Amino acid sequence: MSSTYLSLHYHLVFSTKGREPVIATEWRRQLHKYLAGTVEGLGARCEIVGGTADHVHLLVELRATHTLADFMRELKRVSSMWVHSDMARPEFAWQEGYAAFTVSVTSADEIRRYIENQEDHHRERSFREELVIMLKRAGVKYDERYLD
């Protein structure tokens, strides 16, 4: 084969430090837009961003040259700085870890709908409950001590 063809889609999930509900409704859409722009600025493609007051979900397509850990570190670092300066929230921080799930192109529409409807999902279950379901569904082993 004379070229490289990739489909590297990821469902990324990360929360605010201590899962504090600090992402105010008044500036949540701006944060989502900023996250999408940052993804694009890092050379990836952002398909959708959604979330609630204490966490965000992104569906992104990375390049072969991206390293997931470096990509996440930069995305969280830059967006934190933006919240500090533009939203005047110097105390804002993201939780240290994150969850990343590979997504096949055939299930991308389902993930998009899921991310679009975060407010509805969280009327029924907490972020922790949601995370446990996603981890189990993906077959990811986890330690209960590190879920909070």
Side-chain angles (χ1 to χ4, degrees):
M1 190 174 291
S2 62
S3 192
T4 302
Y5 302 99
L6 303 167
S7 177
L8 302 175
H9 298 263
Y10 290 88
H11 178 188
L12 307 173
V13 185
F14 50 98
S15 70
T16 58
K17 188 169 186 176
R19 297 233 177 91
E20 292 296 322
V22 295
I23 304 172
T25 306
E26 297 80 36
W27 53 272
R28 189 173 304 152
R29 286 194 194 280
Q30 289 174 271
L31 173 62
H32 294 173
K33 188 175 179 179
Y34 188 84
L35 286 163
T38 302
V39 167
E40 301 286 335
L42 292 170
R45 189 167 74 89
C46 187
E47 298 187 35
I48 189 170
V49 180
T52 64
D54 67 350
H55 72 284
V56 294
H57 291 256
L58 296 89
L59 180 58
V60 302
E61 183 179 2
L62 300 183
R63 293 182 180 183
T65 55
H66 284 117
T67 303
L68 182 60
D70 292 343
F71 180 86
M72 290 301 299
R73 186 180 314 104
E74 189 65 7
L75 177 63
K76 291 166 72 177
R77 184 186 71 79
V78 170
S79 59
S80 257
M81 288 173 40
W82 178 82
V83 173
H84 295 167
S85 64
D86 288 36
M87 296 298 107
R89 304 276 195 270
E91 73 290 346
F92 180 87
W94 294 115
Q95 192 116 342
E96 190 174 319
Y98 59 89
F101 305 96
T102 55
V103 176
S104 70
V105 73
T106 57
S107 58
D109 284 341
E110 178 185 344
I111 300 300
R112 270 188 217 92
R113 283 190 299 277
Y114 181 76
I115 292 172
E116 283 175 347
N117 295 305
Q118 278 297 292
E119 294 289 337
D120 294 336
H121 294 299
H122 291 289
R123 287 189 186 104
E124 298 174 18
R125 66 176 54 109
S126 70
F127 173 64
R128 188 181 199 280
E129 292 168 323
E130 171 190 54
L131 181 59
V132 168
I133 290 168
M134 288 188 291
L135 292 169
K136 286 181 178 179
R137 199 175 284 160
V140 176
K141 292 182 182 183
Y142 61 92
D143 186 328
E144 291 275 339
R145 294 175 295 173
Y146 302 111
L147 290 178
D148 294 318

